[in-house]
Amino acid sequence: MAGLKYEVLLTDGAEQDLESIYDYIAEFDCKANADHVLDHLLEVVESLTFLSERGAYPKELVALGIRDYRQTAFKPYRVIYRVMGQKVYIYVIADGRRDMQSLLARRLLGV
């Protein structure tokens, strides 16, 4: 629906994901690149304020018959979220090269 504004909220897990990504890049690359990646990830998160329904369903969840979550990305990072009412909850922000099946099962399904 055009013009509809959503409140975007990061779960504790997503906040920890951002901190871990930033710390890793700052330590193994440089602070400037960590700042760059963090800025772009936060832009992706903020864009969900108006474009929350645009994301694709994560293939790892679709394979399990779950279509409650969506994803968007700042490659290689994936932002996994769920729209509930007027709110968008960010659950996972992770490097898509990781074992996403295990991460999503653990974080979203409690497996």
Side-chain angles (χ1 to χ4, degrees):
M1 185 181 293
L4 197 54
K5 186 174 180 181
Y6 292 83
E7 180 180 7
V8 179
L9 304 164
L10 285 121
T11 62
D12 290 342
E15 286 182 7
Q16 290 171 0
D17 291 341
L18 281 175
E19 288 175 19
S20 295
I21 290 166
Y22 182 89
D23 291 345
Y24 182 86
I25 296 170
E27 182 177 346
F28 293 102
D29 192 349
C30 67
K31 186 179 178 312
N33 284 345
D35 290 338
H36 171 78
V37 169
L38 181 63
D39 289 345
H40 281 280
L41 284 171
L42 291 174
E43 286 175 15
V44 167
V45 166
E46 188 62 29
S47 74
L48 295 172
T49 300
F50 291 104
L51 301 171
S52 61
E53 299 291 338
R54 79 171 188 274
Y57 299 110
K59 66 183 183 302
E60 298 87 354
L61 297 175
V62 170
L64 300 173
I66 299 169
R67 292 181 181 268
D68 296 330
Y69 299 90
R70 293 181 177 266
Q71 69 179 3
T72 189
F74 171 63
K75 293 198 181 234
Y77 301 99
R78 291 169 62 185
V79 177
I80 311 294
Y81 64 95
R82 186 174 186 182
V83 179
M84 292 188 285
Q86 293 301 115
K87 296 183 180 184
V88 176
Y89 294 91
I90 310 290
Y91 288 95
V92 176
I93 302 173
D95 187 322
R97 298 170 291 191
R98 289 180 59 183
D99 178 1
M100 292 298 288
Q101 187 77 35
S102 296
L103 176 62
L104 294 177
R106 192 172 56 253
R107 187 81 62 86
L108 302 178
L109 308 176
V111 175

